[in-house]
Amino acid sequence: MKLKLATLALSALMAAAPAMAELVYPSLSYRTGAYAAGGIPFADGYADYFTLLNERDSGIGGVKAKVIECETGYSTEKGVECYESTKGEGALVYQPLSTGITYQLIPKVTADGIPLHTMGYGRTSAANGKVFSNVFNYPANYWNGASLAINHLLDINGGDIKGKKVALLYHNSAYGKEPIRTLEELAKKHGFELSLLAVDHPGQEQKSQWLQIRREKPDYVLMWGWGVMNQVAIQEAVNIKFPMENFIGIWWSGSENDVLPAGEAANGYKALTFHNVGSDFPVFADIQKYVVDAGKAAGAGDQIGTVLYNRGLYAAMLAAEATRKAQELSGKAQITAADMRDGMEALEITEERMAELGMPNFGPSFKVSCANHGGPGTGAVQQWDAAAKEWKLISDFGPSDMDVIQPLIDEDSMAYAKENNITPRECN
Amino acid sequence: MLYREAGDFKTSYAKDNQTFPIKFDRVAYYVLLVVAFGVVPFIINDYWANAVIVPFLIYAIATIGLNILIGYCGQLSLGTGGFMAVGAFASYKLMTAFPEVSIIIHILLAGGITALVGVAFGLPSLRIKGFYLAVATLAAQFFLVWLFNRVPWFYNYSATGQISAPERSFMGYVVAGSNVGAVEKYLMCLVFVVAVAWVARNLTRGTMGRSWMAIRDMDIAAEIIGVNPLKAKLTAFAVSSFFIGISGALLFTVYLGAAEVGEAFGISKSFLVLFMVIIGGLGSIFGSFAGAAFMVLLPVLLKNVLVGGMNWPTDLAAHFQLVIVGALIIAFLILEPHGLAQLWRVAKEKLRLWPFPH
């Protein structure tokens, strides 16, 4: 027994020792808890892409990538514990997939000099790179999402939504409250009526909110939900016979998990997206060959091509590309977190590069800069086809209304800078 | 060798009634204090502070608070998470409204405000008890979380409803906010823990504690011998909420630096602290520490062994951790319903008699 314990302790020590000549990407995943349905495919996609790079190209720039998973259960306290336990192992970038954990980590990563990439979530005003030097949220953020949803409504109404009623059904947390400011500004600009309906964590109780929707009869319902809240909302919408095509979710409310439980009735439900859908890209053939068939898939291998798997894959791809950029800039293969930060700030994703990676048209082409960590903020609308059981893009990737969003970003980030005594960096 | 009482004579009532009547215990206590204040700050790193020791210290304060209510006064409460939220939001409002006042004063004031709220929600305890009171305090939990989510004044109208602690320092060291160093964080919590434990220990063996225990053991008998139930119950609620408020304030200002009421102070917090009290042992200060340590350290330890040591997948480890902790709780309650504190008491008893048990 003693020997066993000693071996155990020794192996624990070995596992904790800093890894040499490896690029470390911690994955603060959640495969358990109320939000596991969203956490599992994302974590699978994130891990599988790095496995693919290791198997097919023997790593990035000749150095193997290593993904350290740490289970947070979407809890901020566990997220902090995970961050502290992995940051010493040469962590290059954190992608926690949780707005709550992001808020905890922003000051910590800034102090430790590790970049934080919160793709499509987190603190929206982190798009201002002058204030948030180590936080990135390209290619799009919640405020872009809010504007994209309204743009879509303008599109289908011939450019005029004056007097229309729009309800926002949101998760009653920092995540769900993010778009409210932007929507209020947009309501002023376009003259629609906005009503707010909060749903408490984890989101199973929505009867009263839908009763209110039935009473008020809004023309459109927007949803900022995550996890079980989405499928409950869609089921409730079906129950009150709310027209599905007038129900639009943010990108975190538009995966297969959300619509499948409602079956045929969910047909026509719309959601936003900032990357393409489906598994019709060359990269998936490689994943099948090098990862799944080789028995190296992170999960059960059954999520490939789903919306959230693709998003995890996309997140990993952006991290890998930033790593390549960092290797190019620093001239060494084994980069540090500081190099990685510079790589992310100089990241440029082009159409050609996406095609080379086997993901043509998968996401927008964009360029990150010192001042703009938020990317282009473009997105499209996807619609659920219940008969085919797949999401289809019904619009092109269009721009969001930066005239409204940019002042809000500046205002919020400067308030943060003032609160925390940060002098904004000079960017040229 | 350990725990010998031979030659350890008590010649006064005060000596006989001291907290650690056995010399070995007394020495161990002082050694522990010296190590905690004199050695640990020099060796502590970010990981140990943030993942293990600081949460343990903060939850120990909350557990002592709840233990006073449940263990000493017999008033079942499920409102701990809500009261911690009161502490956190009170400290936030005070910090932002009066930036020039010391953070230590703010944390104590936050405890005081929580004590008032606790008394308000403790009023029903005069009429109802047991499970009915548990339901009443459960209402406090839900009401307070709802209130802090609903009324923007509490989070200073921030767009997200998150509160984040501005940076505050004490004697030149940053002790609140998101950029607190490991040592400052640890020492700050340690000072509060030692103070709270000392106050709690002395309250519980004085008049007030005795009246609480009389109410716990049999309220009608207590009333007959002259204990005022109104005073006893409300002071228990006040003192308990005061400590819980302090722990909530520390959790927010020193440990997390930012918090979201539903996530950080939800019903699961109430249960967590209640488990700590039950596992540690009702009516014991030492038990509060033992319970907090058990519930904070065990998951981290299991995670390190299962994922770090044995390379299990993280989801399997997380599920197994629930199974193991749950099984241990059940085993404890069957084998030793009085908690870790009783286990420790029995062990001490055995050691004192060893090698000649009766």
Side-chain angles (χ1 to χ4, degrees):
Chain A
M1 189 60 205
K2 268 221 170 107
L3 191 75
K4 244 189 201 161
L5 267 180
T7 336
L8 208 71
L10 194 72
S11 54
L13 210 72
M14 304 245 291
M20 296 313 286
E22 265 177 345
L23 300 164
V24 178
Y25 301 91
S27 167
L28 304 192
S29 62
Y30 40 97
R31 295 172 180 273
T32 63
Y35 303 96
I40 293 170
F42 189 90
D44 282 355
Y46 197 70
D48 281 356
Y49 188 73
F50 287 113
T51 312
L52 172 71
L53 293 183
N54 282 346
E55 297 298 313
R56 189 186 62 189
D57 317 336
S58 35
I60 305 164
V63 190
K64 292 252 181 189
K66 181 180 169 192
V67 175
I68 309 175
E69 270 204 52
C70 186
E71 172 70 33
T72 68
Y74 204 71
S75 138
T76 45
E77 275 165 71
K78 278 194 203 159
V80 170
E81 199 257 324
C82 279
Y83 171 74
E84 294 294 346
S85 68
T86 49
K87 77 173 183 192
E89 302 190 26
L92 290 180
V93 60
Y94 280 88
Q95 307 207 26
L97 192 64
S98 150
T99 297
I101 297 176
T102 302
Y103 271 82
Q104 301 296 328
L105 291 187
I106 285 173
K108 290 183 200 292
V109 292
T110 313
D112 292 327
I114 301 171
L116 180 70
H117 185 194
T118 58
M119 187 182 73
Y121 57 94
R123 182 169 193 136
T124 305
S125 61
N128 186 354
K130 289 182 197 166
V131 174
F132 295 89
S133 57
N134 281 48
V135 188
F136 299 82
N137 54 9
Y138 54 80
N141 56 47
Y142 291 139
W143 295 352
N144 299 135
S147 165
L148 287 166
I150 299 302
N151 281 351
H152 178 68
L153 297 187
L154 287 168
D155 274 353
I156 55 180
N157 283 296
D160 181 26
I161 50 172
K162 191 161 283 187
K164 298 263 182 203
K165 282 194 248 176
V166 177
L168 172 70
L169 185 76
Y170 65 98
H171 192 264
N172 204 355
S173 65
Y175 154 57
K177 287 175 187 161
E178 280 273 0
I180 294 175
R181 271 303 304 283
T182 315
L183 286 172
E184 281 169 353
E185 292 293 321
L186 287 166
K188 267 185 240 159
K189 183 170 174 179
H190 298 292
F192 61 88
E193 260 177 70
L194 179 69
S195 62
L196 303 173
L197 299 163
V199 176
D200 278 323
H201 157 92
Q204 271 137 328
E205 278 300 324
Q206 299 181 20
K207 280 270 184 264
S208 65
Q209 286 85 352
W210 285 96
L211 200 67
Q212 206 166 338
I213 288 174
R214 201 164 74 174
R215 194 158 359 107
E216 284 179 8
K217 295 196 181 63
D219 296 298
Y220 299 99
V221 174
L222 305 183
M223 171 159 74
W224 251 249
W226 184 226
V228 72
M229 173 180 163
N230 295 336
Q231 35 179 289
V232 174
I234 289 167
Q235 187 61 54
E236 291 285 350
V238 170
N239 293 350
I240 68 160
K241 299 202 168 56
F242 189 82
M244 274 299 161
E245 62 279 2
N246 293 344
F247 188 15
I248 305 170
I250 181 65
W251 36 70
W252 302 111
S253 306
S255 76
E256 284 79 359
N257 304 319
D258 307 328
V259 281
L260 281 175
E264 281 297 320
N267 191 40
Y269 172 71
K270 288 174 185 169
L272 302 168
T273 181
F274 53 83
H275 58 74
N276 221 317
V277 293
S279 55
D280 201 10
F281 296 90
V283 69
F284 289 104
D286 283 355
I287 285 184
Q288 189 66 35
K289 183 172 154 203
Y290 289 100
V291 181
V292 180
D293 293 346
K296 290 185 172 155
D302 57 351
Q303 301 287 342
I304 294 167
T306 64
V307 171
L308 289 168
Y309 182 93
N310 286 7
R311 196 160 300 153
L313 187 82
Y314 188 55
M317 186 278 286
L318 292 176
E321 287 308 299
T323 307
R324 271 188 242 277
K325 189 81 194 169
Q327 286 172 334
E328 188 189 305
L329 288 177
S330 67
K332 54 189 183 204
Q334 177 64 46
I335 57 162
T336 63
D339 298 328
M340 181 71 180
R341 197 208 72 83
D342 297 342
M344 288 172 84
E345 204 160 82
L347 181 67
E348 188 178 0
I349 300 285
T350 58
E351 290 289 342
E352 297 82 63
R353 185 59 193 155
M354 292 294 281
E356 262 171 56
L357 292 168
M359 302 159 97
N361 288 324
F362 193 79
S365 55
F366 62 94
K367 206 168 170 215
V368 185
S369 71
C370 162
N372 179 9
H373 283 190
T378 55
V381 182
Q382 56 181 10
Q383 191 167 30
W384 177 246
D385 181 347
K389 284 199 168 60
E390 60 186 27
W391 288 100
K392 290 200 172 92
L393 283 191
I394 55 165
S395 79
D396 291 330
F397 284 84
S400 49
D401 191 347
M402 290 312 282
D403 294 345
V404 172
I405 298 168
Q406 196 58 47
L408 291 175
I409 289 178
D410 291 340
E411 182 193 328
D412 192 72
S413 58
M414 292 320 281
Y416 179 84
K418 198 165 153 250
E419 262 173 41
N420 292 279
N421 300 324
I422 297 171
T423 324
R425 296 185 297 162
E426 287 297 319
C427 286
N428 38 22
Chain B
M1 274 56 65
L2 306 173
Y3 289 112
R4 258 331 103 87
E5 278 165 298
D8 190 3
F9 300 114
K10 313 282 191 304
T11 50
S12 68
Y13 185 68
K15 269 190 182 168
D16 197 39
N17 232 3
Q18 56 191 333
T19 299
F20 300 106
I22 306 164
K23 198 175 173 196
F24 178 84
D25 261 2
R26 213 154 52 231
V27 174
Y29 168 71
Y30 286 118
V31 169
L32 186 72
L33 277 189
V34 168
V35 170
F37 279 100
V39 180
V40 177
F42 295 100
I43 54 172
I44 198 165
N45 60 16
D46 271 0
Y47 178 69
W48 277 94
N50 285 325
V52 181
I53 296 182
V54 169
F56 157 64
L57 294 176
I58 290 172
Y59 282 116
I61 298 178
T63 312
I64 291 172
L66 189 63
N67 216 334
I68 284 177
L69 199 58
I70 298 184
Y72 286 98
C73 196
Q75 308 294 312
L76 208 48
S77 163
L78 286 173
T80 321
F83 294 133
M84 286 174 85
V86 174
F89 277 78
S91 60
Y92 175 67
K93 285 303 287 186
L94 289 168
M95 280 167 93
T96 47
F98 308 104
E100 60 284 352
V101 178
S102 164
I103 176 74
I104 309 282
I105 295 172
H106 284 328
I107 291 177
L108 292 173
L109 280 177
I113 291 170
T114 317
L116 293 179
V117 176
V119 168
F121 282 101
L123 283 172
S125 70
L126 303 173
R127 285 295 178 84
I128 52 178
K129 51 187 177 181
F131 291 122
Y132 305 97
L133 182 63
V135 174
T137 50
L138 191 65
Q141 161 75 44
F142 285 116
F143 170 74
L144 290 168
V145 167
W146 174 84
L147 182 75
F148 294 133
N149 227 333
R150 188 76 189 79
V151 182
W153 179 78
F154 286 111
Y155 46 83
N156 282 357
Y157 305 94
S158 80
T160 53
Q162 280 243 351
I163 50 171
S164 41
E167 215 165 271
R168 292 285 179 270
S169 46
F170 181 66
M171 301 205 308
Y173 294 98
V174 177
V175 292
S178 310
N179 285 319
V180 187
V183 180
E184 289 89 342
K185 208 175 254 188
Y186 165 74
L187 279 178
M188 181 89 172
C189 293
L190 185 67
V191 168
F192 273 101
V193 165
V194 171
V196 161
W198 184 79
V199 170
R201 170 68 194 161
N202 286 305
L203 276 180
T204 52
R205 57 187 189 152
T207 319
M208 205 185 258
R210 280 162 208 277
S211 58
W212 293 341
M213 285 185 264
I215 292 286
R216 170 193 68 188
D217 291 339
M218 195 174 185
D219 49 353
I220 294 175
E223 212 172 335
I224 290 167
I225 60 167
V227 174
N228 181 353
L230 174 99
K231 199 178 144 200
K233 284 179 179 175
L234 291 189
T235 48
F237 264 97
V239 172
S240 157
S241 309
F242 178 74
F243 292 162
I244 292 172
I246 284 182
S247 84
L250 286 175
L251 186 77
F252 160 64
T253 54
V254 179
Y255 178 49
L256 289 176
E260 199 180 315
V261 64
E263 213 275 334
F265 301 108
I267 180 79
S268 54
K269 269 288 128 78
S270 297
F271 285 125
L272 183 69
V273 179
L274 183 66
F275 289 154
M276 287 173 181
V277 170
I278 293 173
I279 297 278
L282 293 165
S284 156
I285 303 295
F286 168 78
S288 306
F289 282 97
F294 187 87
M295 294 298 288
V296 171
L297 305 188
L298 193 68
V300 176
L301 180 76
L302 280 176
K303 195 193 92 173
N304 283 346
V305 170
L306 296 180
V307 180
M310 288 148 76
N311 276 327
W312 284 23
T314 48
D315 51 340
L316 189 65
H319 286 135
F320 242 82
Q321 187 185 305
L322 289 177
V323 172
I324 294 171
V325 173
L328 278 174
I329 290 174
I330 294 171
F332 253 112
L333 294 184
I334 292 171
L335 299 173
E336 185 48 88
H338 296 291
L340 289 164
Q342 178 65 11
L343 216 61
W344 178 237
R345 242 172 264 145
V346 171
K348 274 203 300 200
E349 215 48 48
K350 290 238 156 58
L351 279 170
R352 282 155 92 172
L353 296 174
W354 187 85
F356 304 116
H358 306 297

